[in-house]
Amino acid sequence: MERELSDEDDDRENLIDSNERKNPRSTFEIAGIKSKIGSSWSSSFSKKRYLIAICLPLLLICVYFSVDIGNSFRSVSSVRIESSNDLVREAELKALYLLREQQLELLNVWNRTLRRVDSKLKGNMSSNSSSEKDDVLGSLRLFEDYRDTLLKQIRVNKEIQQVLLSSHRVGNVSNLAVDGNAGMGLGGYSGNQCRKVARVLEKRTLEWNPKKNKYLFAICVSGQMSNHLICLEKHMFFAAVLNRILVIPSSKVDYPYNRVLDIIHINTCFERKVVISFEEFSEIKKNHIHIDKLICYVSLPQSCYVDDEHVKKLKSFGVTMGKLEPAWVEDIKEPKKRTMEDIAANFSTNDEVLAVGDVFYADVQQEWVMQPGGPLAHKCKTLIEPSRLIMLTAQRFIQTFLGKSFIALHFRRHGFLKFCNAKKPSCFYPVPQAADCITRLVERANAPVIYLSTDAAESETDLLQSLIVINGKVVPLVKRPARNSAEKWDALLFRHGLEGDAQVEAMLDKTICAMSSVFIGASGSTFTEDILRLRKDWGSASVCDEYLCQNEQPNFIAENE
């Protein structure tokens, strides 16, 4: 309206100016003009008055209807939208009702199945028949698959309900599904499906009763510390079979085991002296150490899997030995399955000091050796475990940073790409694929935090951290921080001069991982295998423990050189 009035004023000004320009008058015509103007204006005004009287009501009617029609259109549109919204809301509420019914039915199926499985287990496990026990174990494996599938569907059901509810947060409407959470009646499987693995009660064990002055001189040279611990564990089995005291290797040619292991603990578990340190053995022999017999378990690629450099190290501090004698043809690339009887028959001797070389690759009574607690009869949970100082430090770290429920991840990367790609299938996964696998397991375990044991670069761990997200929330990856005097969780190691020792820190990482609720390991890594051994022996193993992206192949594999 303002725009129209201003235009009209401009037109009038233009009109008057033009009239004035077109009709110049002299002063003598002024009176005549006034009389003409007066009569003309009177006549014009009268006409305009009638015109305005007629047009004004029409204008008002038009304005009224135009406004009213607009309102009418808006009201019609509003009715249509509200009607559409009502239909959508009604459909969503009906879907929520159906999902709720489905959820309750799934829970009923779960509870009925759980009762049947429990009764079947109680009935068959009491049987002495090995075939019936095997059937039970097979049924348990099937039940594990069934359980995972069913619980996954219950979780999906709940997620759909939450999505539908996101647009219905009015009054008590949200209570339709939130109160009936997917964990109701799951008998302990609701938030965390990852229960502990039941310990095996029946074990086959061998007594270790070493003869006096009969020794087995341990030699371990393959790989790094984890390999050496596995080698040492197998040496203990050999020593028990041959009734000999095991001599722990010297730190001059091997790792300083006394900094990471408790040798006294091993003897305490047997309530007799079954292992001694190299230093103690040297004192017994008055620094004249001679290996009377060196019967090699491994013959290929070299006898006893001992290289010339290691032999020189032994000789440099007074250890002498005879000729290396292979017991049989044994290639580390194709190890043969051996029995306890094979060891007794081929390595028994009356010589005082015996060595058999590196036995890391030995495959002797593997199922027996790998059972929880190992193959030997003792009163402890496990024999080869971290020292007391490392155990306490791990507990203090967990109390400070992690809490009771956490996932541990061994994310090996350095030097692992080439190693894994040489295997079929490869075990080296792109970070996004690894993050997806980890996220799925975090959802199952319902853990708030992940402890990260890794040699990966920050570029990889930063990307991994950014991709592990559940319900819009990033799950923190926690690594051991650098030494800080304000933090006291690592004070024990500092006071005993163990701070900064690479092997101590590696064992601390293992210990923290072994104490986790769920563990994700690196396939093909002996570091991971040693953690799994500790978890199995300590009873901390979970049904959810697995290798990273287990049963999956990398979605991209680089070509070989």
Side-chain angles (χ1 to χ4, degrees):
M1 297 294 292
E2 291 178 359
R3 171 77 179 177
E4 291 174 359
L5 288 173
S6 63
D7 289 344
E8 187 178 356
D9 291 341
D10 291 340
D11 290 341
R12 286 176 180 175
E13 290 175 4
N14 294 333
L15 181 60
I16 292 170
D17 291 339
S18 64
N19 287 335
E20 290 177 348
R21 285 193 297 270
K22 290 180 181 178
N23 299 291
R25 300 292 179 181
S26 68
T27 55
F28 297 102
E29 296 178 322
I30 292 175
I33 291 172
K34 284 183 177 179
S35 62
K36 289 180 180 179
I37 290 175
S39 60
S40 175
W41 171 253
S42 176
S43 174
S44 175
F45 179 77
S46 177
K47 291 178 182 179
K48 286 182 179 180
R49 186 172 54 187
Y50 288 115
L51 184 61
I52 291 171
I54 294 171
C55 293
L56 184 59
L58 292 174
L59 180 63
L60 291 174
I61 290 170
C62 290
V63 170
Y64 174 82
F65 275 105
S66 65
V67 173
D68 194 51
I69 288 170
N71 288 333
S72 298
F73 277 117
R74 281 194 291 274
S75 63
V76 170
S77 176
S78 176
V79 168
R80 288 177 179 172
I81 291 171
E82 288 177 3
S83 176
S84 176
N85 284 338
D86 288 342
L87 290 174
V88 172
R89 288 170 65 85
E90 183 180 353
E92 289 176 348
L93 292 174
K94 186 174 181 180
L96 281 169
Y97 172 79
L98 293 174
L99 285 167
R100 169 71 171 159
E101 292 295 308
Q102 182 192 55
Q103 183 188 79
L104 292 174
E105 186 58 32
L106 288 171
L107 291 171
N108 288 333
V109 170
W110 168 259
N111 289 328
R112 288 197 302 270
T113 306
L114 193 61
R115 286 194 294 270
R116 290 173 185 171
V117 170
D118 286 341
S119 62
K120 185 175 181 180
L121 286 175
K122 290 176 182 177
N124 290 356
M125 288 306 288
S126 60
S127 171
N128 294 325
S129 170
S130 59
S131 61
E132 289 185 2
K133 289 182 179 180
D134 290 339
D135 290 341
V136 171
L137 292 175
S139 299
L140 275 175
R141 284 190 288 270
L142 289 174
F143 175 68
E144 293 287 342
D145 293 338
Y146 163 78
R147 180 205 64 195
D148 290 344
T149 302
L150 181 59
L151 292 180
K152 181 179 179 181
Q153 293 308 311
I154 293 175
R155 288 198 309 276
V156 170
N157 176 292
K158 184 179 178 182
E159 289 173 6
I160 296 172
Q161 291 187 53
Q162 290 173 339
V163 170
L164 290 172
L165 280 170
S166 63
S167 62
H168 293 277
R169 300 294 177 184
V170 180
N172 294 324
V173 177
S174 61
N175 294 331
L176 288 172
V178 172
D179 290 343
N181 76 62
M184 184 179 63
L186 286 178
Y189 292 100
S190 56
N192 184 354
Q193 305 171 39
C194 302
R195 69 180 188 278
K196 300 298 181 187
V197 174
R199 288 184 65 85
V200 178
L201 299 178
E202 296 181 6
K203 290 177 60 179
R204 179 188 177 188
T205 57
L206 173 68
E207 293 289 337
W208 189 359
N209 295 306
K211 296 176 182 178
K212 188 177 181 180
N213 300 327
K214 297 293 182 182
Y215 303 97
L216 178 64
F217 191 92
I219 297 176
C220 297
V221 296
S222 172
Q224 299 183 14
M225 174 63 94
S226 296
N227 295 44
H228 287 223
L229 293 178
I230 294 171
C231 172
L232 202 60
E233 187 179 24
K234 292 183 178 181
H235 263 105
M236 291 169 67
F237 183 64
F238 275 60
V241 171
L242 300 170
N243 298 317
R244 290 177 174 270
I245 297 171
L246 183 65
V247 181
I248 303 296
S250 168
S251 59
K252 296 178 180 179
V253 294
D254 205 335
Y255 291 110
Y257 293 103
N258 62 318
R259 295 174 71 86
V260 295
L261 301 178
D262 190 347
I263 306 301
I264 297 175
H265 162 79
I266 299 173
N267 290 325
T268 302
C269 292
F270 289 97
E271 299 180 318
R272 66 182 74 93
K273 183 165 284 190
V274 293
V275 297
I276 60 174
S277 66
F278 178 85
E279 289 71 24
E280 185 179 353
F281 180 61
S282 182
E283 289 179 9
I284 292 172
K285 290 298 182 179
K286 298 179 180 179
N287 296 323
H288 297 291
I289 303 171
H290 179 70
I291 299 174
D292 302 309
K293 202 90 169 179
L294 214 167
I295 306 174
C296 298
Y297 182 92
V298 173
S299 59
L300 297 172
Q302 55 204 30
S303 293
C304 289
Y305 200 61
V306 178
D307 55 19
D308 294 337
E309 183 180 353
H310 192 79
V311 173
K312 288 178 182 178
K313 285 182 179 180
L314 288 171
K315 290 180 178 180
S316 66
F317 59 93
V319 177
T320 59
M321 64 188 72
K323 186 179 178 181
L324 281 64
E325 304 174 15
W328 45 42
V329 176
E330 180 76 11
D331 191 341
I332 63 169
K333 294 181 180 179
E334 298 178 359
K336 298 181 176 65
K337 290 186 178 295
R338 309 287 184 179
T339 65
M340 183 177 66
E341 290 73 22
D342 293 333
I343 302 305
N346 289 273
F347 295 91
S348 293
T349 176
N350 288 325
D351 292 290
E352 187 175 351
V353 182
L354 169 69
V356 297
D358 196 319
V359 291
F360 171 75
Y361 295 99
D363 186 358
V364 181
Q365 307 279 182
Q366 195 70 6
E367 295 79 10
W368 186 9
V369 170
M370 293 299 293
Q371 66 184 352
L376 307 178
H378 58 85
K379 66 175 188 178
C380 301
K381 289 183 177 180
T382 188
L383 297 175
I384 298 179
E385 68 177 15
S387 68
R388 180 67 177 164
L389 289 175
I390 293 176
M391 294 275 279
L392 289 173
T393 302
Q395 291 172 6
R396 291 181 177 187
F397 179 86
I398 292 170
Q399 184 177 359
T400 303
F401 294 101
L402 303 173
K404 180 180 179 180
S405 177
F406 69 97
I407 291 175
L409 168 65
H410 176 215
F411 192 55
R412 181 175 173 185
R413 305 296 277 182
H414 180 70
F416 214 45
L417 175 59
K418 186 175 180 180
F419 169 82
C420 280
N421 282 358
K423 299 173 66 176
K424 301 295 181 184
S426 174
C427 52
F428 191 90
Y429 297 89
V431 172
Q433 184 179 2
D436 187 48
C437 296
I438 295 165
T439 301
R440 290 199 300 268
L441 190 53
V442 172
E443 288 179 320
R444 290 177 62 194
N446 194 27
V449 67
I450 300 172
Y451 177 67
L452 179 61
S453 173
T454 186
D455 56 3
E458 286 188 7
S459 56
E460 292 184 69
T461 57
D462 288 348
L463 176 59
L464 183 67
Q465 174 66 92
S466 68
L467 294 173
I468 302 179
V469 181
I470 297 178
N471 296 327
K473 183 179 179 181
V474 174
V475 181
L477 296 177
V478 179
K479 293 191 290 186
R480 281 187 300 105
R483 168 72 183 166
N484 188 334
S485 59
E487 297 174 1
K488 299 302 179 185
W489 62 269
D490 58 350
L492 287 173
L493 299 182
F494 181 76
R495 286 205 303 267
H496 288 82
L498 298 175
E499 184 72 26
D501 186 307
Q503 298 308 322
V504 171
E505 291 183 350
M507 184 60 80
L508 178 58
D509 256 15
K510 282 186 184 180
T511 310
I512 296 170
C513 290
M515 292 179 174
S516 64
S517 305
V518 174
F519 174 63
I520 306 172
S523 177
S525 168
T526 53
F527 189 92
T528 281
E529 295 307 317
D530 206 34
I531 293 170
L532 292 173
R533 175 189 65 83
L534 285 173
R535 291 178 64 77
K536 175 186 61 182
D537 292 354
W538 286 347
S540 59
S542 163
V543 296
C544 293
D545 289 354
E546 62 181 38
Y547 298 115
L548 179 63
C549 294
Q550 189 166 300
N551 301 322
E552 287 188 29
Q553 292 191 19
N555 58 32
F556 185 88
I557 300 176
E559 296 178 356
N560 293 326
E561 296 178 66

